[in-house]
Amino acid sequence: MSMNVFIEALRANNLIILPTETVYGLGANALSDEAVLKIYKAKNRPTKNPLIIHVASLEEAMKYGVFNEDSLKLAKHFWLPAKTANSLTLVVPIKSGTKLSKYVTAGLDTVAIRVPNHPVALELLKQCNFPVAAPSANISTQLSPTQKAHVMLKDIPILEGGFAQVGIESTIVENTTILRPGIITKSMLETVLQKPVVISDGKVIKAPGMTKRHYAPQTPVVIDSILYDPATEARLGFGKDNQCTLNLSITGDIKEAVRNLFAYLHELDQKGYTRIHIAPLPKDQELSITLYDKLHRMIG
């Protein structure tokens, strides 16, 4: 299907599935209550859980949110045309007079915005005259899809975009607080802002991905596991670990492990194992926070 088919579907307040560099997203016109409510229904997602809107540029983002000095610094550094991975979502106050659907923000006075770093997504957004709300294209609490084959939502057209290069959802930041860890780390943010950044305790849900259980396979997960029964169970290894079904990173690269996590869990989840064991992973690296945040939400 041509790009125009997907744009017209969005304009008609219908849903599409689009690729981004993080995961595949379930997209809808963020200005339409009718369209945004279809996201919640398709995902079986509580309407108190806010959504991220996707736009093609910082200039577009500033039509919907109020950017202070810190958020501007981060946007200019991590969003296009910056030559860095821009898997960063910024939570900012809603700009007065915008026509964003009230369901996008789940009643909050802030909005989560990002510019995806994917050529297909960017071309779609450039041709639309509205922001696109796009949480991950999964049933709520289940694994996010990192390729077209992972999408389980039925009867929604999928805009093909290959494998998601990052493989997990974006880092979400409000001012100097990380609301959801991702590939953009605390030290990366502090380098840009030149001030301390903290990680939220998660007690107040202000952004997607902060619920206790999230992004989990159907098969029960055991983390930091040493032993498993290869006859009925699977195990994700790491580094020089031969006692595993799949290895998140044979070279011990934690960034590679983050990228492979959802994809490998999708693969194992389809094979009828009774449990998926995950080997102990490094806990002394910044991305360990991101990795274990995902893992702990799988056992909720």
Side-chain angles (χ1 to χ4, degrees):
M1 288 186 284
S2 71
M3 181 74 74
N4 285 339
V5 172
F6 291 91
I7 293 170
E8 288 307 312
L10 289 170
R11 287 176 177 159
N13 292 334
N14 292 320
L15 301 178
I16 69 165
I17 293 168
L18 68 152
T20 78
E21 83 284 9
T22 56
V23 298
Y24 274 69
L26 179 62
N29 182 348
L31 304 182
S32 165
D33 286 350
E34 175 191 354
V36 173
L37 281 172
K38 288 179 180 179
I39 289 178
Y40 286 102
K41 182 177 180 180
K43 287 174 60 69
N44 193 28
R45 179 188 180 105
T47 53
K48 65 181 180 181
N49 194 356
L51 305 175
I52 296 171
I53 67 168
H54 294 65
V55 294
S57 67
L58 173 57
E59 290 71 27
E60 281 294 306
M62 292 175 73
K63 294 178 182 179
Y64 305 101
V66 179
F67 287 70
N68 62 19
E69 182 180 355
D70 289 339
S71 55
L72 272 175
K73 281 183 181 179
L74 294 174
K76 288 177 179 178
H77 184 85
F78 290 106
W79 289 354
L80 291 171
K83 301 299 184 183
T84 56
N86 41 312
S87 305
L88 179 70
T89 294
L90 294 172
V91 173
V92 296
I94 300 170
K95 189 170 184 178
S96 177
T98 64
K99 296 181 180 179
L100 285 173
S101 167
K102 60 181 178 289
Y103 298 108
V104 164
T105 60
L108 300 173
D109 57 5
T110 54
V111 59
I113 309 178
R114 87 179 190 97
V115 177
N117 188 8
H118 192 290
V120 176
L122 284 170
E123 185 58 33
L124 175 83
L125 292 167
K126 286 174 183 176
Q127 292 189 39
C128 289
N129 59 353
F130 48 80
V132 173
S136 54
N138 60 343
I139 301 299
S140 186
T141 77
Q142 295 184 13
L143 284 175
S144 299
T146 59
Q147 56 181 285
K148 182 179 178 180
H150 294 162
V151 178
M152 297 292 107
L153 298 173
K154 303 299 183 183
D155 303 320
I156 301 172
I158 304 175
L159 184 57
E160 175 63 72
F163 291 85
Q165 294 302 306
V166 173
I168 59 167
E169 294 81 3
S170 60
T171 303
I172 301 180
V173 175
E174 181 180 31
N175 296 318
T176 56
T177 300
I178 297 174
L179 300 179
R180 179 177 74 185
I183 205 75
I184 304 296
T185 63
K186 181 176 182 289
S187 68
M188 293 166 70
L189 296 165
E190 289 177 337
T191 297
V192 175
L193 294 176
Q194 292 295 294
K195 63 174 69 172
V197 170
V198 299
I199 299 175
S200 169
D201 60 13
K203 292 180 180 179
V204 179
I205 294 177
K206 304 188 72 175
M210 296 182 72
T211 51
K212 185 176 180 181
R213 182 172 173 82
H214 216 45
Y215 313 132
Q218 297 295 295
T219 310
V221 169
V222 181
I223 62 176
D224 288 337
S225 178
I226 303 297
L227 301 175
Y228 79 115
D229 180 358
T232 60
E233 300 175 330
R235 186 169 183 269
L236 285 178
F238 180 83
K240 296 177 181 180
D241 185 345
N242 297 319
Q243 302 301 312
C244 58
T245 316
L246 294 171
N247 195 309
L248 290 167
S249 175
I250 293 172
T251 62
D253 182 343
I254 195 163
K255 188 172 182 180
E256 183 182 18
V258 169
R259 183 169 64 247
N260 288 333
L261 180 64
F262 284 178
Y264 285 7
L265 285 171
H266 270 288
E267 183 175 339
L268 297 177
D269 207 22
Q270 304 302 313
K271 294 188 175 180
Y273 292 111
T274 57
R275 285 185 182 83
I276 299 172
H277 295 253
I278 300 176
L281 299 165
K283 295 181 174 65
D284 60 348
Q285 300 181 43
E286 274 203 291
L287 280 176
S288 304
I289 295 171
T290 297
L291 202 48
Y292 273 96
D293 179 75
K294 301 300 181 190
L295 293 177
H296 284 295
R297 292 182 196 278
M298 291 177 190
I299 61 178

